Amino acid sequence: METKKQPIVNEPDIEYGNYSYADYLTWTMDEVVELIKGKVFKKAAAAPGRTHQRISMHLGSELFQFLKGKPCEVFHAPFDVRLPIKSKKNSEIDTVVQPDICVVCDLEKLDEAGCIGAPDLVVEILSPGNTKKELKLKYEVYLESGVKEYWVIYPVEQSMLIYTLENGVYKASRLLASGDKVESKVIPGFSLDLDELFASY
């Protein structure tokens, strides 16, 4: 008896779908999307603005230079980070995100598809297109998967928050702004001058 083949999913149902990484791999879309707890979130339709790009390039370059010769690597979007909770099977992973910047120190988590498992450091640079729901869900999946340090940068306000994983919960820093020098607990010795990060050209 001939079995019917399942139709290929070419475009997800943004509103009502519940998808896995296996589905994600079949999509043919012009927009960049992320999958958070089975739900699809489109990245901003327009390319990131000048300020977003400059902050990303500045921070990514600082991390790249600092990590030379060290057993960690830095990546910037687009770069798939799969966050498995129970299984590493494609059909059972329901979260695939593209952080603006991430640092991975356990190089066994890296493969040709990106990263499978929690990076040590994740940086999100907020854009006008970011929704509160998306930000809340990302906070939850980063916590649940064990991302040790999560930086949220607010370009318009020229400020940032750092969430550090301690005993299974995130401890938030005070609001950091120009005049502050930021130090990472998961990348010992790395510091970032926020005056330089937020300097306008």
Side-chain angles (χ1 to χ4, degrees):
M1 185 176 176
E2 218 174 279
T3 57
K4 287 185 179 179
K5 289 184 179 179
Q6 291 295 320
I8 293 175
V9 178
N10 290 322
E11 185 116 0
D13 184 329
I14 300 291
E15 294 297 320
Y16 301 108
N18 189 24
Y19 298 103
S20 71
Y21 179 59
D23 297 317
Y24 176 94
L25 291 173
T26 71
W27 297 337
T28 54
M29 299 180 69
D30 293 331
E31 303 97 334
V32 176
V33 299
E34 295 178 299
L35 189 63
I36 304 175
K37 293 189 174 181
K39 303 298 179 190
V40 179
F41 290 84
K42 286 187 179 182
K43 299 282 270 185
R50 179 185 64 85
T51 301
H52 182 288
Q53 287 282 62
R54 187 180 54 74
I55 288 172
S56 180
M57 289 292 291
H58 179 100
L59 178 52
S61 297
E62 293 273 326
L63 284 164
F64 180 79
Q65 291 299 324
F66 181 82
L67 292 173
K68 277 186 176 179
K70 295 181 174 65
C72 298
E73 291 190 35
V74 60
F75 300 92
H76 61 81
F79 179 75
D80 282 347
V81 174
R82 292 156 283 159
L83 297 175
I85 299 302
K86 294 179 181 176
S87 166
K88 291 185 178 180
K89 289 182 181 176
N90 289 353
S91 60
E92 294 182 27
I93 296 172
D94 67 359
T95 296
V96 187
V97 291
Q98 295 196 9
D100 289 309
I101 296 172
C102 66
V103 174
V104 181
C105 294
D106 181 354
L107 302 186
E108 291 188 2
K109 291 180 179 179
L110 300 175
D111 59 21
E112 282 306 307
C115 176
I116 183 161
D120 294 77
L121 169 67
V122 162
V123 179
E124 296 285 4
I125 304 164
L126 300 195
S127 299
N130 293 117
T131 67
K132 287 182 180 178
K133 184 178 180 183
E134 175 192 1
L135 294 173
K136 180 177 183 293
L137 288 173
K138 278 191 174 180
Y139 176 97
E140 290 172 357
V141 295
Y142 290 153
L143 175 61
E144 186 179 28
S145 62
V147 172
K148 295 174 186 174
E149 205 166 85
Y150 172 31
W151 294 14
V152 181
I153 298 177
Y154 302 85
V156 174
E157 295 84 357
Q158 296 196 345
S159 61
M160 68 180 287
L161 282 171
I162 295 178
Y163 296 98
T164 305
L165 190 61
E166 293 183 10
N167 301 317
V169 297
Y170 273 143
K171 183 177 178 182
S173 68
R174 65 176 175 80
L175 190 65
L176 301 159
S178 292
D180 287 318
K181 287 193 177 177
V182 175
E183 294 188 352
S184 170
K185 290 187 177 178
V186 299
I187 308 173
F190 179 76
S191 66
L192 179 69
D193 187 326
L194 293 191
D195 276 340
E196 292 181 5
L197 183 68
F198 294 127
S200 57
Y201 291 172

